[in-house]
Amino acid sequence: MNNIMTTISNMQRSLATTRQMDVFKFINKHIEKKHVAPTIPEISKKLKINSYSVVHRHLRELQKKGYIHREKGKRQSMILLRKLDGSSII
């Protein structure tokens, strides 16, 4: 029973929330259209998120869950690791 609960817990951690998926979809579309990742202010404005720290939290979670990769200290350095359907790109 413990193994089943651990597996379910791990699966839930790897699934993005609805809001995180909104951020991920916007990043995906922005990269397709402009060939560069959006900035934090662009994400905030488009998705009507009033706080940059909330955008940062969503991006951290998306990175933890394996949707994106970001390099520290580099602006607009997001790499998509999954497609919109959730399947792996790499």
Side-chain angles (χ1 to χ4, degrees):
M1 187 68 162
N2 258 351
N3 288 341
I4 294 171
M5 295 307 288
T6 301
T7 301
I8 291 170
S9 177
N10 289 340
M11 286 172 53
Q12 287 174 336
R13 270 189 255 139
S14 68
L15 298 175
T17 65
T18 302
R19 195 61 167 151
Q20 290 164 2
M21 283 307 296
D22 290 343
V23 172
F24 180 68
K25 287 175 187 175
F26 174 70
I27 294 167
N28 195 311
K29 289 176 184 177
H30 192 280
I31 290 173
E32 281 180 7
K33 185 177 180 182
K34 297 189 177 184
H35 306 286
V36 65
T39 63
I40 301 299
E42 287 172 329
I43 296 169
S44 177
K45 183 177 179 180
K46 179 66 178 180
L47 299 177
K48 297 180 178 144
I49 300 172
N50 294 326
S51 169
Y52 291 169
S53 65
V54 173
V55 174
H56 281 286
R57 186 174 65 228
H58 289 313
L59 294 175
R60 274 194 310 275
E61 287 301 313
L62 286 169
Q63 185 163 352
K64 275 188 205 175
K65 295 174 181 183
Y67 284 84
I68 63 171
H69 174 75
R70 297 169 63 209
E71 291 188 43
K72 283 189 175 184
K74 292 189 178 181
R75 294 183 63 206
Q76 296 177 286
S77 67
M78 283 180 247
I79 298 170
L80 300 178
L81 302 176
R82 293 191 189 186
K83 298 177 185 176
L84 285 174
D85 66 7
S87 62
S88 178
I89 290 175
I90 299 174

